[in-house]
Amino acid sequence: MLPSEIISKVPASYENGLASGSLFFFPSDNYIVQDTETGLNLEIRLCSALQHKPKLDTPHFEPSAQPQSKVDPFVPPYDPGLFVGDLTSEDGEQYVVLLNKFSVVPRHFLLVTKEFKSQTSPLMPDDLLQAYALLVAGRKTGKNMFAFYNCGDLSGASQPHKHLQFIEVDEDGPPVEVLARSVSLESQGKPFTIGALTYANHVFRFPSNLPYSSIDKREQILANAFLSLLDLVLSTVRHDPTYPTGPPSYNVILTLEHLHLIPRRLETHTLEETGEILSVNSLGFCRNAAGQERT
Ligand code: AMP
């Protein structure tokens, strides 16, 4: 299926998944809170149904080729109630699109590598290209979405099989995107940092014609952007002894306009008031962009 076909199939597949009982939707309350430091409107979603969910151990990701003993939910046979389609690209059908089985946001879907690849591995040019193609296809049908990737032990990921995730947002995109857009750049094509944020972050602004560029051009720009940001993540981690040693963990946020990489030093944030421990993934940096966590 082409990216446009996948995108047009998602809403009906989602309704079908719900109706067939394959997919669970957890209603949540959404609060908009203004952050005093940045002035940014943060979106905080409270999902009481998930509050008492037993905490699954964070998988210890092995970069080795094989998944661990736990059942991998991202291998065939796919649950027909979660399956959207195989994504067709230049290289054949390397990816499958599945709905998130446990949705807090409607139509949350995943782009999964068909062959097992580790969630500790960096995004490859084709991962970025296919993810971007889905965002472009979404925009053509009036949907604003962004993609995210939780990479490594401390990134808040729960599945070791490589998957990017997609969520619909309003026109402004995730709050952190509003901040990224507000940064004026002296020279285009170079990574920058959103100084207003309280945590290390590395961002790349794409040329405005990227959604209309040829596949080759797009791939080159996306891959170079990712590599330049990954370099900065590695140097942030290496030059700061408060980051743990070993393979770096980081979160990735991809929009049509920007790529964001956020190095992680802690997987969780402990709420001061209650002592509750929250696992924080990429969404913590999109919606709750100025949280107190020291990443
Ligand atoms: P992460 O926690 O970042 O690794 O993302 C894993 C995603 O997969 C989460 O959004 C989960 O809700 C979702 N998920 C877990 N099990 C399944 C499954 N069997 N089918 C589809 N999605 C799943």
Side-chain angles (χ1 to χ4, degrees), residues 22 26 53 56 59 61 71-74 79 82 98-104 108-110 112 119 148-151 155-161 163-165 251 279 281-283:
S22 294
F26 299 97
K53 187 177 102 182
L56 294 175
F61 301 124
V71 174
D72 180 356
F74 301 152
D79 179 338
L82 299 174
L98 302 175
L99 292 160
N100 178 3
K101 187 176 177 72
F102 308 104
S103 274
V104 173
H108 177 166
F109 67 87
L110 317 172
V112 175
Q119 191 73 2
F148 60 97
Y149 181 60
N150 303 317
C151 185
S155 67
S158 61
Q159 295 297 335
H161 183 142
H163 58 284
L164 284 98
Q165 310 189 49
N251 295 105
S279 168
N281 69 18
S282 299
L283 292 184

Side-chain angles (χ1 to χ4, degrees), residues 23 70 109 145 174 231 238 247:
L23 191 157
K70 268 202 301 183
F109 67 87
M145 301 185 301
D231 256 359
R238 289 201 183 123

Side-chain angles (χ1 to χ4, degrees), residues 21-284:
S22 294
L23 191 157
F24 303 97
F25 175 71
F26 299 97
S28 54
D29 295 315
N30 213 11
Y31 297 88
I32 304 295
V33 179
Q34 195 176 52
D35 179 65
T36 45
E37 271 176 64
T38 58
L40 195 66
N41 280 335
L42 310 177
E43 190 180 316
I44 311 246
R45 212 173 258 278
L46 285 188
C47 184
S48 41
L50 291 180
Q51 216 169 359
H52 305 295
K53 187 177 102 182
K55 166 129 178 43
L56 294 175
D57 287 341
T58 301
H60 192 72
F61 301 124
E62 288 302 332
S64 66
Q66 286 311 309
Q68 294 159 327
S69 51
K70 268 202 301 183
V71 174
D72 180 356
F74 301 152
V75 292
Y78 304 119
D79 179 338
L82 299 174
F83 178 77
V84 180
D86 293 314
L87 181 66
T88 313
S89 68
E90 323 291 282
D91 298 331
E93 293 181 340
Q94 307 289 336
Y95 301 88
V96 60
V97 174
L98 302 175
L99 292 160
N100 178 3
K101 187 176 177 72
F102 308 104
S103 274
V104 173
V105 178
R107 297 176 291 283
H108 177 166
F109 67 87
L110 317 172
L111 177 67
V112 175
T113 57
K114 281 207 174 163
E115 201 181 289
F116 180 84
K117 299 216 171 93
S118 169
Q119 191 73 2
T120 53
S121 63
L123 291 176
M124 293 297 161
D126 205 30
D127 300 333
L128 291 158
L129 193 58
Q130 301 318 320
Y132 199 82
L134 287 167
L135 297 182
V136 171
R139 175 61 69 83
K140 283 191 182 144
T141 63
K143 279 195 182 96
N144 288 300
M145 301 185 301
F146 70 91
F148 60 97
Y149 181 60
N150 303 317
C151 185
D153 285 349
L154 302 177
S155 67
S158 61
Q159 295 297 335
H161 183 142
K162 196 173 203 181
H163 58 284
L164 284 98
Q165 310 189 49
F166 293 77
I167 281 189
E168 290 172 24
V169 269
D170 68 20
E171 216 178 309
D172 286 341
V176 74
E177 188 67 352
V178 178
L179 273 186
R181 242 179 250 134
S182 72
V183 176
S184 63
L185 298 182
E186 276 174 21
S187 51
Q188 302 292 325
K190 291 214 172 94
F192 65 97
T193 289
I194 304 173
L197 295 175
T198 52
Y199 50 83
N201 65 91
H202 304 290
V203 188
F204 190 96
R205 181 170 301 159
F206 300 132
S208 56
N209 62 355
L210 191 61
Y212 318 102
S213 305
S214 69
I215 303 280
D216 287 349
K217 184 81 190 149
R218 231 191 238 177
E219 181 166 348
Q220 181 202 338
I221 289 174
L222 290 166
N224 286 341
F226 185 82
L227 280 182
S228 61
L229 297 182
L230 186 57
D231 256 359
L232 291 169
V233 164
L234 294 174
S235 83
T236 301
V237 169
R238 289 201 183 123
H239 290 102
D240 183 339
T242 62
Y243 282 92
T245 51
S249 294
Y250 53 95
N251 295 105
V252 179
I253 300 164
L254 174 68
T255 71
L256 286 173
E257 294 165 69
H258 293 99
L259 181 65
H260 306 239
L261 262 65
I262 300 118
R264 297 295 299 273
R265 74 177 126 217
L266 293 175
E267 197 227 330
T268 57
H269 170 70
T270 306
L271 289 178
E272 257 173 43
E273 296 78 2
T274 60
E276 229 175 313
I277 296 172
L278 305 177
S279 168
V280 179
N281 69 18
S282 299
L283 292 184

